[in-house]
Amino acid sequence: MSTLDVARKDFLDVRRAKIVWFVGALYVVFMALLVYFGQYGVSEPNVRDALWNLTAVGALFIPLIALVTAYLAIAGERESGAIKYLLSIPNSRRDVVLGKFLTRTVVVSASIAVAFLVGGALALALYPSPAMDVIAIMAALTLLYALTYVAVAIGISAATDSRSRAMGGSIAFFFVTSVLNVLGPLQLAIDYLANDLAGLEISSEQILFVQSLISPTTAYVNSTGLAFPDGFRTIPEELPWFLAGEVMVVVMLAWLVVPLALGTVWFGRADL
């Protein structure tokens, strides 16, 4: 067998997980509601406002979709013993990691694609200027953001040998990089460590860049400058080069590759 063989077998299992489809369906509902009600109460409705609000929702909700979909991909089979059968077919351990990632990528991508197709259809029907180019850019950025968390979840799952540890690791990662990030303590902690303790006197923009390296959520939010014009809502008129949308895309790509690589190495050394 190969990576694709593992992915095909895994897809038969994951498609039966109702919680995965339920969480994905919720995101589709959020998209439809935000785009539909975004036209009310304003004289000149702008779909960019609805997409901006969706970014705030997605910053917390997208990681949940990805983590719920992927955190048990390998750890669950290690705990049950099914992983030994999968490796005896035979498959390499790298095939297992990449195959599981491919399957969960398809499932998460399907949820996001449906959501943006629904949002695009509503924008065409309800808005005088649907800005389909902005919708397309946001769809691509959101998909990349989701896949970073799929990669993290697969990496955690590959590095743990039980459901409880995979769940604990995923919850901890989500809490630190999403919840604390959105609520503000993560930025305050970086500021305290860098400026108060280390005395580096780094600027708020540099703190935001460090925050982007620590949190895919920050990188995602900062990358939306590629879709929205400078000065829109809270986007500054001018940004330093290291906070440009293109740089944030590179950061998210790193978040996609590095956890998978580490998970593959760790799983390869695990005693099964």
Side-chain angles (χ1 to χ4, degrees):
M1 294 179 74
S2 65
T3 297
L4 291 179
D5 294 318
V6 173
R8 278 192 290 267
K9 179 186 178 300
D10 189 49
F11 185 74
L12 296 176
D13 297 330
V14 74
R15 72 179 185 177
R16 301 189 187 101
K18 295 181 180 179
I19 184 64
V20 171
W21 300 110
F22 174 73
V23 175
L26 278 181
Y27 184 68
V28 177
V29 171
F30 278 129
M31 167 69 84
L33 291 176
L34 287 172
V35 175
Y36 181 79
F37 288 105
Q39 61 175 321
Y40 287 101
V42 291
S43 57
E44 297 181 3
N46 187 343
V47 74
R48 290 179 176 84
D49 293 321
L51 292 174
W52 180 266
N53 293 332
L54 185 71
T55 301
V57 173
L60 285 175
F61 202 77
I62 291 293
L64 287 178
I65 297 175
L67 293 174
V68 167
T69 301
Y71 81 99
L72 288 181
I74 299 173
E77 294 199 8
R78 287 182 66 180
E79 185 175 80
S80 68
I83 195 68
K84 295 181 180 179
Y85 167 75
L86 189 60
L87 289 171
S88 69
I89 292 177
N91 296 303
S92 71
R93 298 192 184 194
R94 189 188 67 158
D95 287 338
V96 172
V97 174
L98 295 182
K100 297 284 188 178
F101 173 73
L102 184 58
T103 301
R104 314 302 158 131
T105 292
V106 170
V107 173
V108 171
S109 299
S111 299
I112 293 173
V114 170
F116 276 90
L117 286 173
V118 169
L122 288 173
L124 283 171
L126 302 175
Y127 288 78
S129 178
M132 298 304 293
D133 58 333
V134 176
I135 293 176
I137 294 172
M138 283 302 301
L141 293 174
T142 302
L143 177 59
L144 177 58
Y145 174 51
L147 295 188
T148 64
Y149 273 91
V150 172
V152 167
I154 292 293
I156 292 173
S157 191
T160 51
D161 57 2
S162 68
R163 293 170 177 263
S164 59
R165 290 180 180 178
M167 179 181 293
S170 298
I171 291 174
F173 188 84
F174 170 73
F175 185 75
V176 172
T177 63
S178 290
V179 177
L180 293 183
N181 178 66
V182 171
L183 296 180
L186 182 59
Q187 185 173 6
L188 293 176
I190 296 171
D191 187 14
Y192 175 75
L193 291 173
N195 290 330
D196 294 344
L197 289 185
L200 298 178
E201 297 184 358
I202 63 176
S203 66
S204 59
E205 288 86 0
Q206 292 169 323
I207 290 174
L208 192 57
F209 177 69
V210 173
Q211 193 176 347
S212 300
L213 297 179
I214 296 173
S215 167
T217 298
T218 303
Y220 169 62
V221 173
N222 290 340
S223 74
T224 58
L226 294 172
F228 302 109
D230 294 344
F232 183 82
R233 293 293 186 93
T234 60
I235 296 178
E237 291 287 349
E238 295 184 4
L239 284 171
W241 68 268
F242 51 81
L243 290 180
E246 294 84 356
V247 175
M248 295 297 103
V249 168
V250 173
V251 171
M252 285 195 287
L253 287 172
W255 270 108
L256 193 155
V257 173
V258 173
L260 276 181
L262 293 177
T264 300
V265 171
W266 202 300
F267 184 53
R269 297 175 178 175
D271 183 8
L272 303 179

